[in-house]
Amino acid sequence: MWMVLVMLIIALALSGIFLWIKYSIKKSEEKKYYDAAARMIKENCLNKIIQNRGQRRQTVTDKLMIYISISGKSRQGFVFDPENGIRIGRNIEENEICIRDALVSSSHCNIYLYQGQPIIQDFNSANGTFIKRGLFDKHPVDGWEYIYSGDTLLIGDTRIQIKFFLFDMMKL
């Protein structure tokens, strides 16, 4: 009886340690993409200040940013501003994200803001772009479609996780 109790205590302790490690890894990953967003936004703000001859106009306090992680690649992720858009495809010279996959077209799709909402637009790619939401909803993108945080994009054999986050511009 004591042995069962000791085993139960050990199992609970190990599961607690596992959950703490998983939480720490998630927080570390979030810090990395927030830091990347801060660097990107600072650079864009400085460029705009230079273009506007030193006049700083900052009215937005929160800025929508998108973090995408590509499955199959060891911790490969990208942070980008959807206002600038991002092209995904096989051709490294035409796209911000290059996917080396025979099932991916040279210019496959684009993610950008349309009326303040992120969308994905398929460029009539040969094998299509699919969105997976939840466990059972997987459908092709017909032209363009709104995307949401938590969606998974299926492009060729590549799975891309989408996560939106708000960056506090006041922290710059």
Side-chain angles (χ1 to χ4, degrees), residues 108-132:
H108 199 93
C109 62
N110 189 21
I111 298 173
Y112 60 96
L113 280 186
Y114 175 73
Q115 296 180 348
Q117 175 68 35
I119 67 167
I120 185 162
Q121 177 184 16
D122 184 82
F123 293 140
N124 294 321
S125 59
N127 296 304
T129 302
F130 293 83
I131 295 179
K132 185 173 186 304

Side-chain angles (χ1 to χ4, degrees), residues 132-138:
K132 185 173 186 304
R133 290 193 181 115
L135 294 174
F136 304 109
D137 181 15
K138 175 185 168 188

